[in-house]
């Protein structure tokens, strides 16, 4: 009968676009345990996977399922602390994992090793993870982290990931901005040089690339705009006309969900990279919420949980996390709100504000 | 537990542990403490290679066996930046043949073209050799497999700028655009080449580029890249300043319309309003915004409505009213009806 078919059709549509919260909680829980060998390329970046899982659980308001204290200890074991003679200050920060082979230790002093140094993205995600777990960062050697960070900045304003050298681009400017913001201390970077690098990375098409001359991209556009926001320099660096042009570039990225570059296919994670940028620029409200939500949910893995970049593809922690953040921007009911510049929940952000207030109170009570 | 030594020898499954040349070295395991997080379950073989790698690293050993081991480690995990760094240290300390290293890194990138570490390594070797002579051809090959690989384009721009290899790049760009006129990376490269060589100040060059765009638009109207490029090269001089362009765009609107064409039109009208704010021009802009919101780009409906409101609030209050001729025409029309 026509009526029944119609009802069944509607039900099927509903089944494919409903949000399976519990599946995602379990997906992140499993990510935090053991991964099969085919994930070996993630070894040096394991701390970022931890961040995706923990922040993902935070957005799902499900951090209670993990042992926070154990997690905090493990993260602190990744801190590269100064050695007794402080000869390695410029190499301090957080490691991505134990891959170098130092014996486990979650307290100082640091152990001398010819190749042990922090990685800028691990310092950023390490600090963010500690924060969202409710830690007070009291065991972070802030001076060491900031010294290590400063050593990574190049003449052109961008950053290396590691002191031994690496590629340099907008991603690491964002990591640096987050680190300084969380530690409430901008001595770790030359803001002026970083801003100049950002300006030079603006493309003829009004998006922002990874560096000067490079193709504008949703990821680097987020990194640039979010960094300026964290520095508190967004409106003074970019004119209203420039902001309008960036708004236009970003809003054109919506196809159903969002893509990262003109004429490229959409990908779930850009619902956050571009969505958050639009939110920072006050125009996310003018996007099409329904099409965006439907796309993100079409990439949901109904069996295993998590999200993939495309429908019918394998989910991974990154896309699971940014898929959730994309939904959070849309106001998905069961999700916590995400701070669009710092990329943690508003709750974690408030915890940070309280911490920073206490730091300032301590400083003034000492003087 | 490992299979017994005899079994391993018979099946050819040699671990580092079994190799006599390594017997002096004590392998160093990974230590994640009592509660490991995101632990990766490595096979025996994998663990073996990296336990010995960690031992070498700790001693900072500079030897041929160390160099050989880095290749094994890379094969297992080419994303481990510490292994690549250590390999570079050894390349220099052991004065290895960098031409051979170029062949090696070429093969690895072909297998894993989206890995950051391999491209960085290639850049270092090219710098040490001060020899970019293979780069353009190599990158072209990678781009023939994925014409939008960001790493490839980034490396290409670095090589061209560093070694001043501009001469045949515009030709390369045009070839790619012939293959796919919607390749946004190629359009970006076009801008990169021209802005660093002739620049856009010469009116002959600017007009050549405008004509090139119009030609590409006629062939494939629904292409954001070409419209972004056209707008990009004109917007700081004033979109409405290029003679005859607005007319051509209005012609194209009839047969090769697209949301991008209409957006270009709105921006052209806005540019005109900046120097000559008239109600007539403002109305034209509003009309196009309405067309975009209601018909031609409905996914961005709210944005086009917002833009219309913004234009009205920015230009409306001080817009020069309709000209006398226009308003008396309107009055005549009203009388007749």
């Amino acid at each position: 009968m026509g009526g029944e078919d119609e009802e069944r059709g509607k039900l099927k549509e509903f089944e494919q676009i409903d949000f399976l919260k519990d599946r995602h909680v379990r997906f992140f829980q499993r990510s935090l345990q053991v991964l099969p060998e085919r994930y070996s390329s993630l070894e040096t970046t394991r701390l970022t996977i931890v961040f995706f899982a923990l922040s993902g659980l935070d957005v799902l308001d499900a951090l209670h399922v993990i042992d926070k204290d154990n997690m905090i200890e493990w993260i602190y074991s990744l801190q590269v602390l100064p050695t007794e003679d402080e000869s390695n200050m410029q190499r301090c920060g957080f490691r991505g994992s134990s891959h170098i082979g130092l014996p486990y230790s979650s307290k100082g002093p640091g152990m001398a090793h010819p190749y042990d140094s922090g990685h800028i993205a691990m310092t950023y995600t390490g600090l963010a993870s500690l924060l969202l777990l409710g830690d007070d960062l009291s065991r972070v050697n802030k001076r060491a982290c900031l010294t290590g960070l400063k050593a990574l900045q190049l003449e052109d304003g961008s950053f290396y990931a590691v002191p031994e050298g690496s590629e340099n681009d907008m991603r690491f400017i964002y990591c640096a901005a987050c680190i300084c913001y969380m530690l409430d201390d901008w001595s770790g970077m030359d803001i002026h040089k970083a801003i100049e690098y950002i300006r030079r990375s603006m493309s003829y098409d009004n998006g922002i690339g990874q560096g000067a001359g490079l193709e504008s991209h949703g990821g680097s556009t987020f990194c640039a705009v979010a960094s300026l926001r964290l520095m508190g320099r967004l409106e003074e660096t970019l004119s209203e006309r420039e902001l309008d042009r960036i708004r236009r570039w970003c809003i054109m990225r919506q196809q159903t969900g969002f893509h990262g570059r003109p004429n490229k296919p959409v990908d779930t994670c850009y619902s956050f990279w571009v969505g958050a940028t639009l939110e920072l620029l006050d125009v996310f409200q003018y996007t099409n919420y329904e099409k965006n939500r439907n796309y993100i949910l079409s990439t949901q893995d109904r069996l295993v949980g998590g999200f993939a970049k495309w429908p019918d593809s394998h989910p991974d922690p990154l896309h699971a996390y940014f898929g959730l953040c994309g939904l959070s921007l849309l106001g998905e009911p069961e999700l916590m709100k995400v701070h669009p510049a710092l990329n943690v929940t508003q709750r974690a952000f408030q915890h940070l504000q309280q911490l920073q207030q206490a730091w300032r109170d301590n400083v003034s009570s000492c003087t | 537990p490992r299979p017994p030594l005899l079994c391993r020898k018979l099946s050819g499954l040699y671990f580092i542990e079994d190799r006599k040349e390594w017997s002096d070295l004590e392998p160093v395991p990974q230590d994640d403490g009592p509660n490991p997080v995101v632990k990766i379950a490595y096979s025996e073989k994998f663990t073996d290679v990296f336990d010995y790698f960690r031992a070498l690293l700790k001693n900072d050993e500079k030897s041929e066996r160390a160099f050989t081991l880095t290749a094994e480690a890379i094969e297992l995990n080419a994303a481990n930046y510490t292994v690549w760094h250590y390999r570079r240290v050894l390349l220099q300390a052991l004065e290895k043949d960098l031409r051979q290293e170029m062949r090696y890194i070429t093969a690895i990138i072909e297998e894993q073209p989206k890995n950051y570490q391999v491209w960085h390594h290639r850049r270092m070797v090219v710098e040490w050799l001060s020899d970019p002579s293979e780069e353009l051809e190599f990158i072209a090959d990678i781009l023939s497999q994925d014409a939008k690989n960001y790493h490839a384009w980034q490396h290409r721009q670095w090589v061209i700028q560093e070694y001043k290899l501009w001469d045949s790049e515009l030709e390369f760009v045009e070839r790619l655009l012939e293959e796919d006129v919607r390749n946004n990376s190629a359009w970006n490269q076009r801008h990169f080449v021209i802005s660093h060589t002739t620049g856009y100040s010469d009116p002959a060059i600017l007009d050549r580029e405008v004509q090139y765009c119009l030609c590409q638009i006629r062939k494939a109207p629904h292409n954001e890249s070409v419209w972004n490029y056209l707008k990009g090269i004109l917007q700081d001089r004033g979109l409405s300043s290029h003679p005859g362009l607005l007319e051509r765009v209005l012609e194209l609107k009839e047969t090769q319309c697209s949301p991008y064409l209409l957006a270009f039109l709105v921006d052209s009208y806005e540019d005109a309003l900046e120097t000559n704010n008239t109600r007539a021009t403002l109305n034209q802009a509003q009309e196009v915004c309405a067309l975009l919101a209601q018909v031609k780009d409905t996914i961005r409906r709210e944005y086009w409505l917002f833009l219309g409101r913004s234009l009205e609030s920015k230009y409306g209050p001080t817009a020069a009213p309709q000209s006398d001729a226009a308003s008396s025409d309107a009055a005549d029309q009203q009388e007749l009806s």
Side-chain angles (χ1 to χ4, degrees):
Chain A
M1 313 303 184
E4 275 177 32
D5 283 344
E6 206 183 301
E7 264 191 55
R8 221 175 289 129
K10 280 194 180 140
L11 193 63
K12 187 164 170 65
E13 234 179 77
F14 175 75
E15 281 171 9
Q16 283 168 357
I17 57 168
D18 59 323
F19 174 62
L20 301 169
K21 183 179 175 188
D22 291 335
R23 293 277 150 142
H24 302 304
V25 173
R26 289 200 292 276
F27 179 87
F28 287 128
Q29 278 179 293
R30 284 195 315 273
S31 307
L32 288 168
Q33 290 153 11
V34 182
L35 298 181
E37 191 179 84
R38 67 173 183 275
Y39 288 89
S40 58
S41 64
L42 300 179
E43 175 63 47
T44 55
T45 59
R46 280 163 59 197
L47 186 49
T48 65
I49 308 300
V50 170
F51 169 75
F52 293 143
L54 291 179
S55 198
L57 286 169
D58 196 14
V59 173
L60 290 163
D61 197 11
L63 275 175
H64 54 267
V65 308
I66 54 117
D67 185 330
K68 292 184 189 174
D69 290 335
N70 278 344
M71 202 65 66
I72 289 170
E73 282 310 296
W74 184 82
I75 296 170
Y76 272 118
S77 78
L78 296 174
Q79 188 173 190
V80 179
L81 289 161
T83 51
E84 296 271 12
D85 64 0
E86 295 201 344
S87 55
N88 69 336
M89 287 296 278
Q90 304 202 323
R91 297 201 276 142
C92 289
F94 281 72
R95 305 175 191 98
S97 78
S98 55
H99 70 276
I100 293 289
L102 287 167
Y104 179 88
S105 165
S106 54
K107 28 179 87 65
M111 287 173 271
H113 186 294
Y115 293 94
D116 187 30
S117 34
H119 183 295
I120 201 173
M122 311 308 146
T123 304
Y124 151 51
T125 49
L127 290 172
S129 297
L130 287 170
L131 219 51
L132 66 92
L133 288 169
D135 187 71
D136 65 0
L137 305 188
S138 56
R139 289 152 68 187
V140 173
N141 187 323
K142 299 181 183 107
R143 190 169 61 89
C145 280
L146 292 165
T147 306
L149 181 60
K150 210 174 170 68
L152 297 173
Q153 191 168 23
L154 286 128
E155 259 312 297
D156 71 358
S158 67
F159 287 78
Y160 286 139
V162 293
E164 290 81 5
S166 72
E167 70 277 14
N168 60 293
D169 54 49
M170 200 64 77
R171 295 172 298 153
F172 304 142
I173 288 194
Y174 176 69
C175 293
C178 287
I179 292 166
C180 290
Y181 189 88
M182 285 186 280
L183 297 181
D184 198 15
D185 189 333
W186 294 87
S187 69
M189 63 190 285
D190 183 324
I191 294 181
H192 176 75
K193 285 194 177 141
I195 291 176
E196 282 315 297
Y197 183 90
I198 290 173
R199 285 202 63 88
R200 285 197 308 274
S201 305
M202 289 163 63
S203 165
Y204 64 87
D205 72 359
N206 303 317
I208 303 175
Q210 288 290 353
L214 293 169
E215 190 183 1
S216 55
H217 185 284
S220 41
T221 301
F222 168 81
C223 288
V225 173
S227 295
L228 289 173
R229 165 69 77 222
L230 291 172
M231 291 175 197
R233 301 290 182 100
L234 185 56
E235 276 86 14
E236 80 177 56
T237 304
L238 298 169
S239 67
E240 200 55 40
R241 170 144 83 170
E242 285 169 329
L243 289 170
D244 279 338
R245 287 175 173 177
I246 298 173
R247 290 179 177 111
R248 172 75 66 82
W249 186 90
C250 289
I251 212 141
M252 293 305 290
R253 293 312 114 234
Q254 183 167 24
Q255 310 298 295
T256 47
F258 288 79
H259 60 195
R261 294 182 263 173
N263 288 318
K264 287 274 284 182
V266 291
D267 171 335
T268 291
C269 64
Y270 293 108
S271 287
F272 177 76
W273 299 126
V274 181
T277 308
L278 287 165
E279 177 63 30
L280 289 169
L281 298 172
D282 298 313
V283 290
F284 183 71
Q285 55 182 306
Y286 303 121
T287 59
N288 184 313
Y289 281 33
E290 194 179 347
K291 290 207 153 91
N292 189 12
R293 182 176 186 274
N294 286 350
Y295 179 73
I296 299 172
L297 289 173
S298 77
T299 68
Q300 185 179 221
D301 189 312
R302 302 184 65 82
L303 203 56
V304 144
F307 294 83
K309 61 194 295 195
W310 297 328
D312 305 314
S313 306
H314 291 294
D316 61 71
L318 182 147
H319 288 92
Y321 176 63
F322 289 114
L324 280 186
C325 290
L327 288 172
S328 168
L329 287 176
L330 291 163
E332 186 70 27
E334 296 169 283
L335 299 180
M336 300 283 111
K337 284 258 167 258
V338 173
H339 188 283
L342 196 56
N343 186 25
V344 289
T345 56
Q346 284 293 349
R347 175 190 31 217
F349 181 76
Q350 275 150 30
H351 170 64
L352 175 65
Q353 287 181 310
Q354 282 158 12
L355 269 186
Q356 293 182 340
Q357 189 55 55
W359 295 342
R360 276 179 227 128
D361 292 343
N362 278 347
V363 170
S364 45
S365 68
C366 283
T367 49
Chain B
R2 279 182 185 160
L5 182 59
L6 183 61
C7 290
R8 300 204 302 266
K9 285 194 163 162
L10 289 175
S11 63
L13 193 70
Y14 267 108
F15 291 104
I16 313 285
E17 191 192 1
D18 302 325
R19 303 181 201 172
K20 292 210 167 42
E21 359 31 306
W22 291 91
S23 57
D24 62 296
L25 206 53
E26 189 65 36
V28 174
Q30 231 176 319
D31 184 1
D32 274 303
N35 303 296
V37 189
V38 187
K39 192 176 165 67
I40 299 172
Y42 292 113
S43 64
E44 293 281 8
K45 164 101 184 129
F46 204 114
T47 306
D48 181 58
V49 169
F50 274 92
D51 282 355
Y52 277 90
F53 174 74
R54 281 183 273 271
L56 292 168
L57 211 58
K58 185 174 162 188
N59 298 332
D60 203 4
E61 182 178 308
K62 311 259 183 20
S63 66
E64 197 54 45
R65 71 177 180 178
F67 185 73
T68 307
L69 193 65
T70 61
E72 288 198 58
I74 283 164
E75 187 167 358
L76 292 170
N77 181 9
N80 188 315
Y81 60 85
T82 305
V83 178
W84 282 107
H85 171 66
Y86 190 54
R87 186 178 174 89
R88 282 191 288 275
V89 169
L90 292 169
L91 279 170
Q92 299 193 289
L94 304 174
E95 296 181 340
K96 302 295 286 185
D97 179 353
L98 294 179
R99 301 268 165 216
Q100 194 169 347
E101 190 66 5
M102 279 298 288
R103 290 192 287 276
Y104 172 72
I105 195 62
T106 294
I108 306 276
I109 296 177
E110 292 280 355
E111 289 164 27
Q112 307 188 50
K114 294 202 168 186
N115 166 315
Y116 284 93
Q117 290 71 42
V118 300
W119 285 98
H120 177 67
H121 189 76
R122 188 186 180 96
R123 179 169 155 163
M124 295 305 299
V125 178
V126 168
E127 275 179 6
W128 288 343
L129 285 170
S130 299
D131 180 8
S133 62
E134 297 174 16
E135 298 317 279
L136 295 182
E137 191 178 329
F138 168 70
I139 301 164
D141 185 68
I142 297 293
L143 290 173
S144 71
Q145 297 163 51
D146 174 1
K148 303 179 183 185
N149 182 322
Y150 205 95
H151 304 271
W153 284 109
Q154 192 160 8
H155 187 76
R156 197 174 180 90
Q157 286 198 355
W158 169 73
V159 166
I160 287 174
Q161 196 149 22
E162 191 66 27
Y163 299 99
K164 306 190 192 339
L165 301 173
W166 304 97
D167 290 352
S168 44
E169 192 62 3
L170 187 56
E171 196 185 308
F172 177 72
V173 164
E174 295 216 336
R175 181 162 73 71
L176 285 187
L177 287 175
E178 261 162 62
E179 286 172 27
D180 177 10
V181 72
R182 292 186 179 84
N183 184 336
N184 196 67
S185 307
W187 282 101
N188 182 73
Q189 192 74 347
R190 189 179 185 94
H191 189 272
F192 174 72
V193 171
I194 294 176
S195 55
H196 280 95
T197 52
T198 57
Y200 291 92
S201 304
D202 179 356
I205 302 278
L206 191 58
D207 196 61
R208 180 196 76 196
E209 291 303 294
V210 170
Q211 296 317 314
Y212 181 79
C213 288
L214 293 173
C215 179
Q216 302 311 324
I217 289 166
R218 278 183 215 103
K219 285 196 261 172
H222 196 87
N223 178 4
E224 188 187 349
S225 298
V226 62
W227 283 103
N228 284 356
Y229 181 82
L230 182 60
K231 187 184 302 185
I233 61 178
L234 294 172
Q235 68 186 356
D236 290 330
R237 280 155 235 274
L239 287 182
S240 46
S241 70
H242 198 86
L245 182 58
L246 186 59
E247 286 70 31
R248 307 297 290 284
V249 174
L250 287 167
E251 273 167 30
L252 284 169
K253 179 167 173 280
E254 300 316 303
T255 49
Q256 267 108 341
C257 199
S258 70
Y260 321 114
L261 180 150
L262 296 171
F264 185 93
L265 220 43
V266 174
D267 295 335
S268 301
Y269 290 136
E270 179 165 20
D271 182 62
L273 288 169
E274 273 184 25
T275 48
N276 185 22
N277 184 359
T278 66
R279 188 20 82 177
T281 307
L282 184 52
N283 283 352
Q284 284 178 302
Q286 294 289 19
E287 227 176 88
V288 182
C289 284
L291 184 59
L292 283 160
Q294 291 157 23
V295 186
K296 296 289 191 174
D297 196 23
T298 56
I299 193 172
R300 272 167 280 278
R301 181 176 187 276
E302 295 305 320
Y303 171 75
W304 295 117
L305 293 174
F306 160 72
L307 196 63
R309 293 193 300 271
S310 305
L311 289 173
E312 191 59 44
S313 88
K314 187 170 176 189
Y315 296 101
T318 53
Q322 306 265 166
S323 68
D324 283 338
S327 55
S328 63
D329 273 356
D332 289 349
Q333 289 271 2
Q334 265 206 314
E335 256 188 57
L336 287 168
S337 57

